[in-house]
Amino acid sequence: MNQTYLLEWLDLLVTFTLNPSKTDVNEITTVQSKAIIEKTIEQTVFIQSQFKIKVFSLNKEKQIKIIVGNYHSSLIIFLDNVIERSHNVAFERFDLKQVMKALILCFDELLSFIETRFSDYLSLDMRVPATYLVVSKKKLKKKIDKLKNNSTSTINDEKVTVILFDSLYSFVNSKANEKVTFRQVLYRKQLVKELELLRVPEREDIVGSTLIEVLIYMNFNSRTFINYFTKSVADQINCCENAAGKMEKLLFYFKEFNQIHSKDGVILNPHHQDLKTVLSDWFKHEMMYLEKRLHFSVIPLVNVDKKRNETPIIANTNDKVLCKLSTDQTALLLRASDELKILIAKSMNHIFKTIVPFLSTPNKVHLSYDSMRSKSYVAEERDKKIVIETLERMIKQIKEY
């Protein structure tokens, strides 16, 4: 059974029967075209069934990886050949066009089958062939359009929906010559599939949103989504009038967050930290911050008493110091300065509250000290790199004094 080549009929069809350089395709009759289409549909079902039997009959993971990789590569080659040939004048006849269309659907379905069932055995970091990428993006875009037009896709929070669809459309509309890996394509396919299964939720909590649960489950570690999520949770916590209430609500949201499962082996941005890790760290740091405020009985927490806890506003922008680093990068510097005791104050919050009002960035004049403090716990690799390079330039400058 293991030696059987399941793609034999399709291989012969693409390599010889429908190859204008080896066969006069005009000799194919309308009846034959219809028979080919019917056989193609049968083969699509047959190959999936037999492929599962073939794979599960193997005992060694290395053998499974080889056979899955070989079939996946072969299907992509066939798909590329069929798409390229479909533009040939030899296939302008209506019945032959239908044959090519049936083959494209067949190969696309078989590829989706392998990528969904046996993704663990594929080399996901390999670059996707251009033709296959075009087909995948086109198919994805149709599904995304349908999701967006479906009222259930805008459940609960419009801003989350905007963040999600901006990310999806950014991928399907990206330049053709941009390097894309199988991991990136497969992630979007899996994400869209999860979104198609969404149901309108009964509750409206930020952590209880079904859409947000899906994004956390799918490790949607978009920086925009992370910032939105943390700000939404912080805004709801700040609705409480006392510190004990804030802590109780924060613990509740943290418990709800921890109960959301995450799917193994999937991630939106492979070069960034896992979403669960980033958000867990944020929750923990926020709890530490509240605990310190409660312990030392400092002034009421964020926005409890606006007059007593209001951030100083420097009206004259000329009195501000322009910092060429971004808000996130400045936040990292201040956090590191506090933890290394380079800047010493009664709390890290006090450092941000004292310094930030006197700073501005090229993109923003008035900065929120509390927002900057929260962002210091969500460090992006690019921001860390820029801060490190900046510090290295400062070291070099100091050495020249």
Side-chain angles (χ1 to χ4, degrees), residues 93-115:
R93 252 172 51 194
F94 177 76
D95 60 308
L96 291 178
K97 279 185 178 180
Q98 294 302 107
V99 168
M100 302 307 273
K101 184 178 179 181
L103 280 170
I104 290 172
L105 289 173
C106 167
F107 293 133
D108 181 59
E109 185 173 337
L110 290 174
L111 282 166
S112 296
F113 165 73
I114 291 177
E115 291 166 355

Side-chain angles (χ1 to χ4, degrees), residues 144 147-169 195 198 209 211-212 215 220 225 228:
I144 295 167
L147 279 170
K148 191 173 184 182
N149 294 329
N150 187 340
S151 59
T152 59
S153 69
T154 56
I155 56 172
N156 200 358
D157 202 308
E158 188 176 340
K159 290 184 179 178
V160 177
T161 307
V162 171
I163 292 170
L164 169 64
F165 283 104
D166 281 351
S167 174
L168 289 172
Y169 278 119
L195 294 172
L198 276 180
S209 165
L211 180 56
I212 288 182
L215 296 183
F220 189 79
F225 174 65
Y228 172 77

Side-chain angles (χ1 to χ4, degrees), residues 370-387:
D370 198 49
S371 174
M372 186 182 286
R373 178 187 60 78
S374 294
K375 288 182 178 180
S376 69
Y377 298 122
V378 189
E380 194 173 85
E381 291 302 318
R382 180 178 175 276
D383 288 327
K384 290 197 286 187
K385 184 180 178 182
I386 291 173
V387 171

Side-chain angles (χ1 to χ4, degrees), residues 229-240:
F229 181 90
T230 53
K231 183 179 183 303
S232 298
V233 174
D235 287 346
Q236 293 199 37
I237 291 168
N238 289 337
C239 290
C240 297

